[in-house]
Amino acid sequence: MPQTPRAARALFSTLGRVAPPAALALGAATYWHVGARTPVRPADQAVHDSARRTPLEHRPTFRRGRDGRLGAGGTITVAGYSWGDPGAPGVLLVHGWQSRASAFGRVIEDLVGAGLRAVAYDAPGHGASGGRRRTGLDDLAIIRRLSDAEPAPWAAVVGHSLGVLGAGIALHEGVEAERFTAISGLTSVRVTTDGFVRGSGLPWALRDAFATAAQRYGLPDHPDVYERFDLLRRTVPASVPTLWLHDDGDRVNPHQLSVQLHEAHADSSELFTTTGLGHNKILGDRAVRSRILDHLAAPAW
């Protein structure tokens, strides 16, 4: 979720002490703000330009509270991409918050080079897709549509950051894949609201109240969102071997989150830890990309 400048932190801290309802309302609105769209990096431009594009019509799930002024209304166009031989086994890529499909550029090159077909999309409010908000429910709906169009189970699903959560829950709820690779992932939606409270300056005593306010603001029809999006309890099926990749210096999602996820999936997972790559550089690291290909090489394609 968005980073909070120092002046805003002071405001949230003060409001949280003297006017908690106002602090919660302002915090809920800020929590859902995606911010400026991330452009295609020069290093990923060639991969981005070479994609086959398949737009998807999608009805967003975000709906602001009771007044409905920010309701989803109609549909938006989601930018869908694919690379590689159209008849090759497919690998689905799900990007993180304030990112886009092209962030997997080097991974996509590796997959295509290995004879696979890469499939990805820009989430609502991200990249070339329409909309202004993104929820895990959007990711679930889009992943299901893409999966339903596949002639066979995915050879693998690969998620990064927030994309790990949406992809992992999709697998729990029945999307079929032979492998799952989770990079710099999250354990649950609750981690994001807790992170916002810590980063915004809101008093920690408002933690539970803020989680409720954020849900009611953007997803008033889905009070079960915290229970549903919890990969520690709603785990990836044991039939889907999972590789957790995480840097021990990640300042966005702490490494401990993947440790917890690995422990929750102990019978069918392994953990690969890097150092010095942080949250995003891990996607382009040669050793990490090699480890991803090694993990994907096990199934009989």
Side-chain angles (χ1 to χ4, degrees), residues 137-154:
L137 294 167
D138 290 315
D139 284 307
L140 279 183
I142 296 166
I143 290 170
R144 283 202 191 98
R145 284 191 58 189
L146 292 170
S147 301
D148 288 345
E150 283 293 297
W154 298 106

Side-chain angles (χ1 to χ4, degrees), residues 9 48 56 62-63 85 99 101 112 115 121 132 137 143 146 175 184 189 207 240-241 243 249 254 257 279 289 292 298:
R9 282 178 52 85
H48 176 74
L56 303 171
F62 178 90
R63 183 174 70 81
D85 184 342
S99 185
V112 173
Y121 63 92
R132 297 174 56 198
L137 294 167
I143 290 170
L146 292 170
V175 167
S184 310
V189 168
R207 175 198 183 218
V240 183
L243 172 65
L257 297 178
H279 187 68
R289 289 157 44 210
I292 292 172

Side-chain angles (χ1 to χ4, degrees), residues 82-85 106-118 293:
S82 63
W83 298 262
D85 184 342
R106 292 292 182 85
V107 175
I108 292 166
E109 291 176 337
D110 292 343
L111 294 174
V112 173
L116 296 167
R117 174 173 46 90
L293 287 182

Side-chain angles (χ1 to χ4, degrees), residues 2-5 8-9 12 193-202:
Q3 299 294 312
T4 310
R9 282 178 52 85
F12 276 121
T193 57
D194 284 355
F196 183 88
V197 172
R198 291 190 182 95
S200 68
L202 281 171

Side-chain angles (χ1 to χ4, degrees), residues 54-71:
T54 305
L56 303 171
E57 292 303 305
H58 171 69
R59 185 178 296 276
T61 54
F62 178 90
R63 183 174 70 81
R64 176 178 170 178
R66 296 177 180 175
D67 62 12
R69 287 189 298 111
L70 295 181

Side-chain angles (χ1 to χ4, degrees), residues 80-130:
Y81 309 92
S82 63
W83 298 262
D85 184 342
V91 175
L92 177 65
L93 306 165
V94 186
H95 70 75
W97 186 260
Q98 280 196 321
S99 185
R100 59 187 303 148
S102 62
F104 287 106
R106 292 292 182 85
V107 175
I108 292 166
E109 291 176 337
D110 292 343
L111 294 174
V112 173
L116 296 167
R117 174 173 46 90
V119 178
Y121 63 92
D122 291 336
H126 294 67
S129 290

Side-chain angles (χ1 to χ4, degrees), residues 174-198:
V175 167
E176 296 184 67
E178 295 181 6
R179 297 272 158 167
F180 181 39
T181 298
I183 308 167
S184 310
L186 290 167
T187 54
S188 66
V189 168
R190 189 60 185 258
V191 169
T192 70
T193 57
D194 284 355
F196 183 88
V197 172
R198 291 190 182 95

Side-chain angles (χ1 to χ4, degrees), residues 223-244:
D224 65 339
V225 66
Y226 295 111
E227 291 75 21
R228 188 175 183 185
F229 286 85
D230 185 341
L231 268 180
L232 295 179
R233 292 188 295 174
R234 307 187 77 226
T235 54
V236 175
S239 59
V240 183
T242 299
L243 172 65
W244 310 97

